[in-house]
Amino acid sequence: MSRLPILERWAGGERIARWHRDVGATLLVAVLAHASLILVGYADLEDNPVLTEAGVLLRDYEDMVSAFAAAGILVLVGLTSVRAIRTALPYELWHALHLSSYAVLLLGFAHQFSNGAQLFRPGPVRTFWIAMYVVVLAALLWGRVVAPLAFNLRHRLRVADVVAESPDTISIYLTGDRLERLEMLGGQFFRWRFLARGCWWQAHPFSVSAAANGRWLRLTVKVVGRHTADLRDLEAGTRVWAEGPSGTFTAAHRTRERALLIAGGSGITPIRAMLEELPPGAALIYRARTPGDVLLHRELDWLAEARDTAIWYVVGSRDDPGPRQVMSPDGLRRLVPDLARRDVYLCGPPGLVEQSLRVLREAGVPRRQIHLATFEL
Ligand SMILES: Cc1cc2nc3c(=O)[nH]c(=O)nc-3n(C[C@H](O)[C@H](O)[C@H](O)COP(=O)(O)OP(=O)(O)OC[C@H]3O[C@@H](n4cnc5c(N)ncnc54)[C@H](O)[C@@H]3O)c2cc1C
């Protein structure tokens, strides 16, 4: 999670977040097993009850208080990452708790050397282990401090204008220096920190809905909570701190020549930016609950014509007969007969993404040709 640009480019922020979750869960189980096996083993050797042995470990062994604290923090981070608990917490609280994992690195460090049989004496194993710590620290420093600092000093992004796209959606136009040299692909996202009152202390991910064109770039944001509501009041000239670009949801990551894009609601934002980079012949299905939920309508029609792209606006709730028919294996094949030979890009609410994924697999699209973005990290 160092956000090292080379890693983000290679695997993409979403996939790295998935690996992070899986490795994190494994680490938690391994650390708990390590602590309990040591405790039970030592208690047995010394013929002590387990609780007495825990006291002995804390009192008589070096650096064990901080190691226990590290394990405690790890358990807390693990518990608050369980989906049901995570969604019940405010995002900022969850994020602050999650950041405390860095304290785990620090607090758990010393006991490995004062008590670990393999690391106690100098030698190749100890040198290798310390080198791994140095690599992690260097990656963090580079990905989280040096690279963003260089990017923001180079481009000095600021708000140029905020435009209403619908009653609950805005577009934020950004301008800055040397935009012609801003390297990014349509479909990627940044973590944006708007340096205005009430906003500066949090960074939120938003895809770019129009990639940098030398003069400006644009985000399109649906108002869903406190922060996105505050963005409506941004003033021209507000400085913006950006971290990125991230993500492999781009035309460059496709495996086939042609693509089918399926967007739901505000999921159109990365797809709109990708449309400019896909070869002619792409197809877009845009799902929206009501006609008012269709964003960037005129611009999409214009792009469709300019880039020989077919667009279908499928409006209505998922139980209405029209959308139900279109979003079925036969319905999709009728619209796009060469479906199985295309890459498919899906972006929208989790429900739409899951349902479409099922239907696409039933329609014979290989999993490696399906690219997902759910707006969840
Ligand atoms: C990769 C990615 C790209 C996105 N692109 C767009 C886009 O182009 N347009 C758009 O309208 N929305 C996009 N989103 C969603 C957007 O980030 C959230 O809607 C926004 O952060 C909500 O903030 P809030 O305080 O207004 O709402 P809240 O009610 O506080 O949050 C609503 C939900 O948004 C998520 N969230 C909140 N804060 C953060 C944060 N700091 N970082 C990550 N997730 C958070 C949480 O899951 C939370 O449950 C994207 C999300 C991701 C992960």
Side-chain angles (χ1 to χ4, degrees), residues 91-92 189 203-207 220-222 224-228 266 269 375-377:
Y91 181 87
E92 282 71 33
F189 69 93
H204 286 244
F206 296 109
S207 310
T220 300
V221 175
K222 186 174 166 76
V224 294
R226 189 78 191 271
H227 182 73
T228 40
S266 56
T269 48
F375 284 178
E376 274 184 321
L377 285 180

Side-chain angles (χ1 to χ4, degrees), residues 24 35-36 80 95 127 165 199 203 215 261 268 277 285-286 333:
S36 22
T80 52
H95 190 237
T127 309
E165 299 286 358
C199 294
R215 287 176 298 127
L261 309 144
I268 193 65
E277 295 170 15
I285 297 175
Y286 188 3
R333 269 194 297 256

Side-chain angles (χ1 to χ4, degrees), residues 119-132:
L119 303 178
F120 188 64
R121 275 178 234 291
V125 175
R126 181 169 156 143
T127 309
F128 171 75
W129 199 236
I130 293 176
M132 294 296 279

Side-chain angles (χ1 to χ4, degrees), residues 270-291:
I271 282 180
R272 148 68 186 86
M274 272 174 66
L275 274 181
E276 279 181 280
E277 295 170 15
L278 282 166
L284 166 63
I285 297 175
Y286 188 3
R287 282 281 293 115
R289 207 175 282 270
T290 66

Side-chain angles (χ1 to χ4, degrees), residues 16 62 139 173-174 190 213 223 229 242 255 262 352 358 362 364 368-369:
I16 290 178
E62 252 181 86
Y173 287 80
L174 302 176
F190 288 78
N213 60 13
V223 174
T255 59
I262 302 179
L352 173 82
R358 226 181 14 254
E362 277 171 40
R368 66 177 177 284
Q369 283 168 226

Side-chain angles (χ1 to χ4, degrees), residues 100-372:
S100 65
S101 329
Y102 288 122
V104 174
L105 282 183
L106 208 66
L107 292 169
F109 184 76
H111 89 289
Q112 305 171 87
F113 298 93
S114 40
N115 302 306
Q118 296 83 358
L119 303 178
F120 188 64
R121 275 178 234 291
V125 175
R126 181 169 156 143
T127 309
F128 171 75
W129 199 236
I130 293 176
M132 294 296 279
Y133 264 88
V134 173
V135 168
V136 169
L137 281 177
L140 275 173
L141 200 66
W142 188 267
R144 297 230 177 201
V145 182
V146 178
L149 199 63
F151 178 92
N152 285 286
L153 287 178
R154 192 178 326 124
H155 296 298
R156 295 179 178 276
L157 296 175
R158 48 201 178 270
V159 173
D161 202 1
V162 178
V163 175
E165 299 286 358
S166 77
D168 64 356
T169 307
I170 51 167
S171 278
I172 304 172
Y173 287 80
L174 302 176
T175 183
D177 298 347
R178 304 187 187 100
L179 288 189
E180 69 290 347
R181 281 164 52 193
L182 196 160
E183 281 181 21
M184 65 157 305
L185 297 169
Q188 290 190 303
F189 69 93
F190 288 78
R191 290 176 178 84
W192 305 95
R193 191 182 293 275
F194 294 91
L195 305 182
R197 205 149 57 108
C199 294
W200 61 270
W201 57 279
Q202 33 184 322
H204 286 244
F206 296 109
S207 310
V208 169
S209 65
N213 60 13
R215 287 176 298 127
W216 50 265
L217 64 157
R218 185 187 64 188
L219 336 177
T220 300
V221 175
K222 186 174 166 76
V223 174
V224 294
R226 189 78 191 271
H227 182 73
T228 40
D230 287 345
L231 297 183
R232 287 194 284 212
D233 301 326
L234 285 175
E235 286 178 8
T238 303
R239 290 296 302 270
V240 185
W241 180 269
E243 284 183 39
S246 291
T248 51
F249 192 76
T250 72
H253 286 85
R254 73 187 192 286
T255 59
R256 299 298 187 114
E257 176 62 12
R258 291 191 164 199
L260 165 66
L261 309 144
I262 302 179
S266 56
I268 193 65
T269 48
I271 282 180
R272 148 68 186 86
M274 272 174 66
L275 274 181
E276 279 181 280
E277 295 170 15
L278 282 166
L284 166 63
I285 297 175
Y286 188 3
R287 282 281 293 115
R289 207 175 282 270
T290 66
D293 292 331
V294 175
L295 301 173
L296 310 173
H297 201 320
R298 264 197 301 174
E299 189 174 318
L300 288 170
D301 287 344
W302 172 81
L303 266 174
E305 206 175 312
R307 302 196 60 84
D308 187 21
T309 298
I311 301 193
W312 296 277
Y313 296 96
V314 183
V315 178
S317 100
R318 73 158 81 169
D319 298 323
D320 289 350
R324 259 207 0 234
Q325 210 184 13
V326 172
M327 301 309 288
S328 67
D330 284 343
L332 288 181
R333 269 194 297 256
R334 252 196 302 278
L335 290 185
V336 188
D338 62 347
L339 177 65
R341 293 195 303 279
R342 289 181 181 241
D343 275 58
V344 184
Y345 291 83
L346 275 171
C347 185
L352 173 82
V353 170
E354 277 157 31
Q355 186 217 358
S356 309
L357 182 59
R358 226 181 14 254
V359 170
L360 287 164
R361 297 292 285 124
E362 277 171 40
V365 182
R367 180 63 185 84
R368 66 177 177 284
Q369 283 168 226
I370 306 176
H371 312 260
L372 308 177

